[in-house]
Every structure is written in structure tokens, then in C-alpha cells.
Amino acid sequence: MTNKDHDKLGKTLWAIADNLRGAMNADDFRDYMLSFLFLRYLSHNYEESAKKELGKDYPTDTPRELLAKLKVKTPLEIWYKENSKEVEYFEKQMRRKVHYVIQPKFLWSNITELARTQDGDLLVTLDKGFKYIQDESFESAFQGLFSEINLNSEKLGKTNAERNKKLCTIIQKIAEGIADFTVDSDTLGDAYEYLIGEFAAGSGKKAGEFYTPQQISTILSEIVTLDSQDPTSGKRKKLNKVLDFACGSGSLLLNVRERIKPNGGSIGKIYGQEKNITTYNLARMNMLLHGMKDTEFEIFHGDTLENQWALLNEMNPSKKVEFDAIVANPPFSLRWEPTDTIAQDFRFKSYGLAPKSAADFAFLLHGFHFLGKEGTMAIILPHGVLFRGGAEERIRTKLLKDNHIDTVIGLPSNLFYSTGIPVSILVLKKCKKHDDVLFINASEHYEKGKRQNTLRDSEDKDQPNDIQKIVETYQFRNNIDRYSRKVSMEEIEKNDYNLNISRYVSTSLDEIQIDLKEVNTKLSLINETIKTNTDNHNKFLKELGLPPI
């Protein structure tokens, strides 16, 4: 299936969602819609694997009439009834091969049949199915995966009958929308990402809680997958561990995984942390839906600033977990309450605490502490961190003096759903090769939109590609007039360690310098020429008996 088809499926499902949600808040409907897509993915993957496992014993092509006669709704349910003694062994094999189990009555094929027939048991079956999947399907910790999905909410209807009817309609429409496509995991995963983006666009400021626009996500992903010491050599072959400590829906982590693939690269394991419970569940679903096994990623629910994750709270330095790549889009200028205890935290004690009014540097220092010596960290932050004084100035100065800030990238305004302000990307390294800082001022390179600006990413060589230009400028450390410049530490020191991008790379055209002496000489020559010509002209007028001018 082509990228165009992937987009078409996403648009088809979005049209269904937009039409069905009615007066329901976009955030509320998002959770239902995406959960149903996730159930469809798990079920389809499970049934396909069951067919391979059972071979000829799988009752394929069972007529609907026979299913009704046997009082079952899926072929797998027939096998379960006829082979009850073998079910335990079968499920053990399925756990080994696909890492989870779903009972036949909770499969999407059964749920859609209940929806098609407007069965009154749909609501109860679906509720039990979600509980079964989150508590029993996976051997590893997937408890609470659907904890925020309230199928008994009055937003779906005032009575059980109304809610059941609404769910029947939603599920039937989703099933019909998907039926027109040959859906593999990549396709459904892309459609899932498309829907997350569309719901984010409709959520406005709240979208910042769970989504980084794909174009910006691509820039960060491309940067951290390049070799940290010599980006000109291209992509790394393997990243053992990748972290996003404010991972939202997990889209940024998945983008890193996608960007390292083309040259045969791979990732050992992905790690994410998310404080919001709904978004945390969304991230776990997103990982699985993109074909990742539950052993290939770990998402933790907890507060990053308080460092509640035991994995990252190891006091013994020799046991500290380090990451080859760290990406993050933390909440901008979040108010926090640093304590005396936090001041002694191993993440902050060498730098000092970020001010209460803005935790931006607290997030940065958290991630930077866990960055490996050969790793790259790319983090999105508001421009204020580049020039604000006080505690932030002290932190910024130490990072610069220790030669840890590699690149500062200024992006255009109004690229995010959550804010219209221009933001920056800071690239940090622990063992930096260069003793200068690269500044990229991309603030004027974008396409203006009605509601939101976008970065141009045309594949046509004759058309602008803003994403590619940023990445290549970083990769080859280019000096480009009115766009990028390598700035020495001496110059930065003279500016009191202020990293305001426009100080180093101005996008304005230079004023034309006027040489007053040259202008005066030219005017004198002009006047002499006028006088000579006037005298000659008056001679002719005199000969003609006419008065001079």
C-alpha cells in the first residue's frame, strides 16, 4: 500500500470520527475511536497468527448461517468449543509467539458482528473485553490500558440502551471504513498517527500534552539518529536505548525508530515516560499498534521532575542507565515546586535548580543526566531559555563552559497546536567534538497557513524543503548567509553567554552603506556638466537672437 493509500485510510477514519462524535468533545471521542482501532489491530493480528498456529484445524470460511446455528460469531470460537482440552496449550503457544491472548468473544470480528446485528449485549461484551485485555491478555504489565475508557459515560447516551446503540453505530462505521483497505500493521499504525494529529489539531492548547507535529518530530529524529561525533558520516547502525521522558502519545519515539530504518539501522529498546494517565495509555497502544512487541519498549507512568521511575533513580553511578539518543518536547515553562531535597538530586546539584516559574531547564537537565557519552539529545524549548537571567543564566553558562551545547535551532512561529510562539531546538552532547556552537535561524523558512504554519518538505529538488535544510545544515555544520553560523565560545562569552539566536544570525538584509564623499564628487561632476551644457545652449540662443536661460 502506498503512502497515498495510508493517508486515504486516515482521512476516511477521520471523516467517520468527525461525523459521529456530534457534540462530544474531540478529546473524549478520540479515546473511544483510538481504542477501537487498537482492539481491531490486536484482534486481526491474533486471528492471523491463530490461523498459522492451527493450520488445517482452523475453521476458515465458516458460513454466517452455521455460526448462528452454533451460537458463535467467530470461527475461532468454534475451535475453542470443539477443542476445550487443547485451549490451554494453544494459548501458551500464542503467548510465546505473539505475546498476548484474546478470548474469541472479545475479538473485533465478534464485536463488529454484535454491532452489525445491533445486539443489546455489545456494551457489556466490550466492557468485559477491555478489562480482559488490560488485566489478562499480556503477561507483562499492561494493567489499566483502557482505564480511562468509560463505556457507561452519559456522553455516549443517557441510558444503557442509548449507549449500546451509539457504540453499535460507531463500531459498524469504523469496520465499514477499514473494509475498503488491505490493512497491515504499518497502514493501521499510520492511520492511527494521522488520527492523533487530527484530534490534536481540534484540541488546540491541550494538544501540547500528547502530540509533537510530525514535521518537528522528524527534525529531532533525524538529528539524534546521525552519528554524534561525526554527523557527516551519516546514520548510526544501532541505537541500543532511546528515551523520551515526556513522551505523550509516543509519536516522537516511533519517529526515531522509523528514521533509523532506511539504512538498515535498528533500536534495541525504546523507553518513554508520561505523567498524564490517558496519554500514557495512548502511548502504549501506539507502540503495539506499530507492530512493536511488548518486550521492545517500556513506557512508565509517573512524574519526570520528581523522578518516580525506579529505572532512572539508581543512586549507584556504576548502575546508571544511559541512552544513545534522547528526544523530548516537554511542557513549556511549566510551574513547579523545587524543594531542598530536589536541590541535592544527582540530576541538578552540579547546575542548580530551574526557577519555580519555568521548569524548562529542569526537564533538560533530567534528560541530559542520562545521556550516554556517545549520545545525542534534542529537546524542544521556548526561546526564553536562551536568554533569561537568574538561575537559568547560571545553568546555561555552565552547560556552555562545559562545552555541552552543540546546536541551537530557531523555528518559525505558530507551528504547534499548543502555542503560537516560536520555539527552539537545543542539541546537546557530553563529548562534543567542536568547541563552537552552531546557530540555525530557520524562523523565516515556512509556509503560512490559515490556522497554523508548516515547514515545507517537498521532494521536488526545485522546491524548498525546510526540514531537509535544517537537518543538512546541522549535519555538515554549514555557514549560510542569514541562516546559520558557527559561533566561537569567545564571542558567546563576550555576549555574557546569551544564546538569543538573532544576536548571532540575523535574517535582516544589511543596510546599503552610502559613501558621502563619492556622492558629493558625483554631484559636483553633474553640476559641472549641467553648467557646460547650459553655456553651450545659451551660445546658440544668442546667435538666434533669443534670450538665454
Side-chain angles (χ1 to χ4, degrees):
M1 187 178 280
T2 65
N3 288 334
K4 205 169 185 181
D5 291 329
H6 286 203
D7 289 344
K8 191 175 179 183
L9 175 59
K11 289 175 181 176
T12 298
L13 292 172
W14 172 246
I16 292 169
D18 204 33
N19 182 52
L20 289 177
R21 75 180 178 91
M24 191 185 296
N25 182 285
D27 287 341
D28 294 324
F29 195 82
R30 175 198 71 200
D31 299 334
Y32 294 117
M33 182 83 175
L34 297 180
S35 295
F36 295 150
L37 278 184
F38 179 62
L39 176 59
R40 192 274 179 195
Y41 163 75
L42 288 180
S43 299
H44 179 75
N45 188 44
Y46 189 77
E47 286 180 296
E48 290 301 306
S49 298
K51 287 177 186 177
K52 291 178 183 177
E53 179 66 25
L54 296 175
K56 293 180 181 180
D57 292 336
Y58 189 88
T60 54
D61 301 322
T62 308
R64 187 172 283 170
E65 296 77 18
L66 179 58
L67 290 172
K69 186 177 180 181
L70 295 172
K71 295 183 179 180
V72 297
K73 290 184 169 57
T74 65
L76 189 58
E77 197 171 355
I78 295 175
W79 185 89
Y80 263 66
K81 282 195 170 186
E82 293 177 348
N83 301 274
S84 57
K85 292 182 180 179
E86 297 177 41
V87 167
E88 186 178 350
Y89 176 77
F90 166 74
E91 290 188 347
K92 185 178 179 180
Q93 288 296 98
M94 293 300 284
R95 284 192 188 281
R96 187 174 65 84
K97 292 182 178 180
V98 293
H99 295 261
Y100 64 92
V101 166
I102 301 181
Q103 290 183 359
K105 61 184 175 181
F106 301 136
L107 290 167
W108 177 252
S109 51
N110 182 58
I111 297 298
T112 53
E113 184 60 19
L114 292 174
R116 186 189 70 82
T117 57
Q118 297 285 304
D119 195 299
D121 288 336
L122 172 70
L123 176 62
V124 174
T125 304
L126 193 58
D127 197 34
K128 287 180 179 177
F130 280 164
K131 284 184 173 64
Y132 174 83
I133 291 170
Q134 71 180 13
D135 296 336
E136 299 180 46
S137 283
F138 296 87
E139 286 186 343
S140 58
F142 272 83
Q143 283 74 21
L145 193 63
F146 297 102
S147 62
E148 297 301 293
I149 306 301
N150 183 7
L151 296 176
N152 293 304
S153 169
E154 288 196 2
K155 292 171 183 176
L156 286 169
K158 291 186 177 180
T159 65
N160 277 349
E162 288 177 358
R163 290 191 280 273
N164 199 84
K165 185 177 180 181
K166 177 79 171 179
L167 288 169
C168 283
T169 303
I170 293 171
I171 290 166
Q172 194 173 355
K173 290 294 182 184
I174 292 173
E176 290 170 0
I178 293 175
D180 295 332
F181 298 87
T182 304
V183 181
D184 53 28
S185 63
D186 285 340
T187 307
L188 200 60
D190 288 346
Y192 193 86
E193 284 286 322
Y194 181 90
L195 287 173
I196 288 175
E198 290 300 312
F199 279 118
S203 299
K205 290 186 177 181
K206 290 184 70 177
E209 296 175 4
F210 65 88
Y211 190 71
T212 303
Q214 279 292 322
Q215 295 181 318
I216 301 161
S217 174
T218 296
I219 295 171
L220 271 68
S221 302
E222 289 285 353
I223 286 173
V224 300
T225 50
L226 289 168
D227 185 274
S228 64
Q229 294 303 300
D230 184 14
T232 60
S233 65
K235 298 283 183 73
R236 295 180 65 169
K237 284 297 180 184
K238 183 165 186 182
L239 296 171
N240 289 315
K241 295 183 180 71
V242 179
L243 170 69
D244 181 347
F245 53 80
C247 71
S249 61
S251 302
L252 186 46
L253 283 169
L254 288 166
N255 206 332
V256 175
R257 177 173 173 259
E258 190 63 28
R259 294 289 157 181
I260 203 171
K261 277 183 181 178
N263 296 320
S266 63
I267 292 176
K269 192 168 183 178
I270 280 173
Y271 296 82
Q273 182 166 358
E274 175 54 43
K275 184 179 179 180
N276 181 291
I277 181 67
T278 304
T279 312
Y280 158 69
N281 289 333
L282 200 65
R284 293 191 291 169
M285 290 184 207
N286 205 4
M287 295 292 152
L288 290 166
L289 212 146
H290 279 82
M292 293 190 70
K293 296 175 182 176
D294 57 329
T295 54
E296 296 176 327
F297 69 92
E298 188 172 342
I299 309 293
F300 178 77
H301 175 230
D303 192 318
T304 295
L305 295 178
E306 293 184 11
N307 204 16
Q308 296 174 334
W309 196 354
L311 177 76
L312 303 182
N313 215 348
E314 175 58 59
M315 300 302 292
N316 186 342
S318 64
K319 295 182 179 180
K320 184 178 76 168
V321 178
E322 292 186 337
F323 298 87
D324 300 317
I326 297 178
V327 289
N329 176 24
F332 300 154
S333 299
L334 179 75
R335 290 193 64 86
W336 71 311
E337 296 296 331
T339 63
D340 292 339
T341 303
I342 289 180
Q344 296 304 311
D345 190 288
F346 49 73
R347 299 167 296 165
F348 309 129
K349 65 181 180 181
S350 297
Y351 294 89
L353 292 173
K356 291 182 179 181
S357 58
D360 302 307
F361 268 117
F363 282 114
L364 182 150
L365 292 173
H366 171 88
F368 188 68
H369 178 78
F370 299 104
L371 183 66
K373 290 180 180 179
E374 299 296 317
T376 305
M377 174 176 169
I379 181 171
I380 302 168
L381 295 170
H383 274 296
V385 301
L386 303 177
F387 54 79
R388 288 192 296 241
E392 290 181 301
E393 182 181 359
R394 290 192 293 274
I395 296 170
R396 184 174 63 244
T397 299
K398 180 166 175 52
L399 286 167
L400 285 164
K401 285 182 174 180
D402 292 346
N403 201 27
H404 292 320
I405 297 180
D406 179 89
T407 304
V408 179
I409 303 169
L411 296 176
S413 61
N414 205 31
L415 289 179
F416 286 78
Y417 300 118
S418 53
T419 179
I421 64 170
V423 300
S424 59
I425 298 173
L426 263 64
V427 181
L428 298 101
K429 297 174 183 178
K430 285 200 170 167
C431 295
K432 202 177 107 188
K433 184 178 179 181
H434 309 281
D435 58 359
D436 53 32
V437 176
L438 175 66
F439 286 83
I440 300 174
N441 192 342
S443 60
E444 294 187 4
H445 296 255
Y446 64 95
E447 184 173 323
K448 189 169 181 59
K450 289 182 180 179
R451 294 174 55 194
Q452 191 175 5
N453 297 329
T454 56
L455 297 175
R456 295 163 294 189
D457 58 352
S458 173
E459 295 180 4
D460 186 342
K461 292 182 179 179
D462 297 325
Q463 298 297 320
N465 189 320
D466 301 321
I467 296 172
Q468 184 178 342
K469 186 173 183 179
I470 291 171
V471 174
E472 287 185 355
T473 302
Y474 162 79
Q475 182 177 9
F476 298 103
R477 225 162 172 79
N478 296 329
N479 283 319
I480 303 172
D481 186 41
R482 297 191 305 116
Y483 185 78
S484 63
R485 184 163 75 92
K486 288 178 287 188
V487 180
S488 68
M489 286 306 301
E490 289 77 14
E491 184 177 346
I492 292 172
E493 185 179 358
K494 286 177 183 176
N495 281 295
D496 298 321
Y497 299 98
N498 186 316
L499 296 181
N500 198 347
I501 299 169
S502 59
R503 283 196 178 207
Y504 305 101
V505 183
S506 175
T507 58
S508 60
L509 290 168
D510 293 334
E511 290 184 13
I512 299 171
Q513 297 295 317
I514 299 172
D515 189 330
L516 294 177
K517 285 185 179 180
E518 186 181 348
V519 171
N520 187 56
T521 301
K522 286 181 179 179
L523 287 173
S524 296
L525 289 172
I526 291 169
N527 284 332
E528 287 178 15
T529 303
I530 292 171
K531 187 178 184 306
T532 301
N533 289 333
T534 302
D535 290 344
N536 289 335
H537 186 67
N538 283 335
K539 286 179 183 178
F540 293 121
L541 290 175
K542 188 177 181 181
E543 290 175 7
L544 294 170
L546 296 171
I549 57 172

